[in-house]
Amino acid sequence: MAVKVEPLPNFEGVYQVILEDGARRIASKNLAPGRNVYGERLIKYKGAEYRLWDPFRSKIAAAIIKGLKSLPIKAGSKVLYLGAASGTTASHVSDIVGEKGHVFCIEFAPRPLKELINNVCKFRLNMSPILADARFPEKYASLVEKVDVVYCDIAQPEQAQILVDNAKIFLRRGGWIMLAIKARSIDVTKEPSEIYKREIAILEDNGFQIHQVIHLEPYDRDHAMILAQYKPSQKKS
């Protein structure tokens, strides 16, 4: 059986790859042909190259497979990525937004940022690596434009509040956020469901309308992905 690639319905810039054995995987079209980022397989099909997107290595991929209804990241989107690390997921975001979009990558740790620069950003002009602490967005305000989406994947106790602080500065009204909640990074003594409710309440109290909550097991244990839209006029009193 020959490999086949087709668009994934309702997900602009995301593709379904049917492999030789009939297995189905998701993928993004490679913005830097010939290069992979984390050992992912490259698939050539009808003159284009695609990168298989591993849900065990990427929470966005896991969310898509677990039933995400829509992905706000599209061609031309400007995205603020909090916690870009060495670029596994950020590189797929780069693929999706394409040459007319941009990904502002915030990473606190120097070593993964160096890997991000040397292995990913060096070959992708639509990515800006920024060494910074996401808890202090005012320190990198001069380096980031207004964005359509804020994606947050950080191991900090105040994940929702950090996202809110960044969104108030950088996210346009009506823009979207995706928050990968790491329950065990917030409080190991509480049940993940309790943590999710608390983080969601922080978002709602700051003008976010929750559209979907997706539990990421078995790909990530005690993790949930929150999809929400920024509507500050609806902020609770």
Side-chain angles (χ1 to χ4, degrees):
M1 179 179 176
V3 173
K4 184 179 180 182
V5 179
E6 54 193 27
L8 187 67
N10 303 319
F11 290 90
E12 181 181 330
V14 183
Y15 299 83
Q16 180 174 248
V17 178
I18 304 170
L19 298 174
E20 296 89 343
D21 61 357
R24 294 173 182 265
R25 301 286 185 271
I26 63 170
S28 59
K29 186 180 290 186
N30 197 356
L31 192 65
R35 297 195 62 87
N36 61 12
V37 172
Y38 55 100
E40 72 279 12
R41 181 178 170 185
L42 304 180
I43 301 288
K44 292 188 177 180
Y45 183 77
K46 293 187 176 180
E49 185 177 88
Y50 301 84
R51 303 167 53 224
L52 294 190
W53 198 350
D54 186 351
F56 288 98
R57 299 285 300 275
S58 171
K59 296 176 185 66
I60 294 181
I64 291 171
I65 291 173
K66 286 298 300 285
L68 184 69
K69 294 177 181 177
S70 64
L71 183 66
I73 301 166
K74 306 178 186 303
S77 293
K78 289 186 170 71
V79 180
L80 175 60
Y81 195 122
L82 305 177
S86 59
T88 296
T89 297
S91 63
H92 287 285
V93 173
S94 164
D95 285 342
I96 293 170
V97 304
E99 294 177 354
K100 293 183 178 180
H102 204 86
V103 188
F104 298 94
C105 301
I106 308 300
E107 175 52 45
F108 177 71
R111 179 174 290 182
L113 186 83
K114 184 178 180 181
E115 294 177 5
L116 174 67
I117 292 169
N118 292 335
N119 300 333
V120 186
C121 299
K122 186 176 178 181
F123 307 97
R124 294 166 175 267
L125 298 179
N126 68 351
M127 302 181 78
S128 295
I130 301 170
L131 180 64
D133 189 332
R135 294 176 299 172
F136 306 105
E138 66 279 358
K139 292 187 176 181
Y140 48 87
S142 64
L143 302 175
V144 179
E145 304 172 28
K146 281 287 186 181
V147 298
D148 305 295
V149 181
V150 178
Y151 177 71
C152 184
D153 183 8
I154 57 175
Q156 293 278 0
E158 304 294 333
Q159 292 166 18
Q161 189 59 54
I162 290 170
L163 188 153
V164 166
D165 293 343
N166 277 269
K168 286 181 176 178
I169 296 175
F170 302 112
L171 186 62
R172 65 172 178 79
R173 184 181 291 267
W176 292 80
I177 62 100
M178 297 183 73
L179 172 60
I181 300 178
K182 305 180 181 185
R184 297 305 179 189
S185 293
I186 294 174
D187 191 336
V188 296
T189 68
K190 291 185 169 61
E191 285 296 316
S193 59
E194 186 178 343
I195 298 294
Y196 302 151
K197 288 178 183 178
R198 191 182 79 187
E199 297 294 282
I200 288 169
I202 291 171
L203 295 176
E204 290 178 330
D205 287 344
N206 283 276
F208 289 91
Q209 180 181 344
I210 307 301
H211 280 247
Q212 201 174 2
V213 180
I214 302 165
H215 298 276
L216 300 183
E217 289 87 355
Y219 304 106
D220 281 286
R221 186 179 178 185
D222 298 329
H223 282 64
M225 182 71 75
I226 310 300
L227 175 67
Q229 190 173 20
Y230 190 38
K231 295 188 174 181
S233 61
Q234 296 182 0
K235 181 177 178 179
K236 296 178 180 179
S237 58

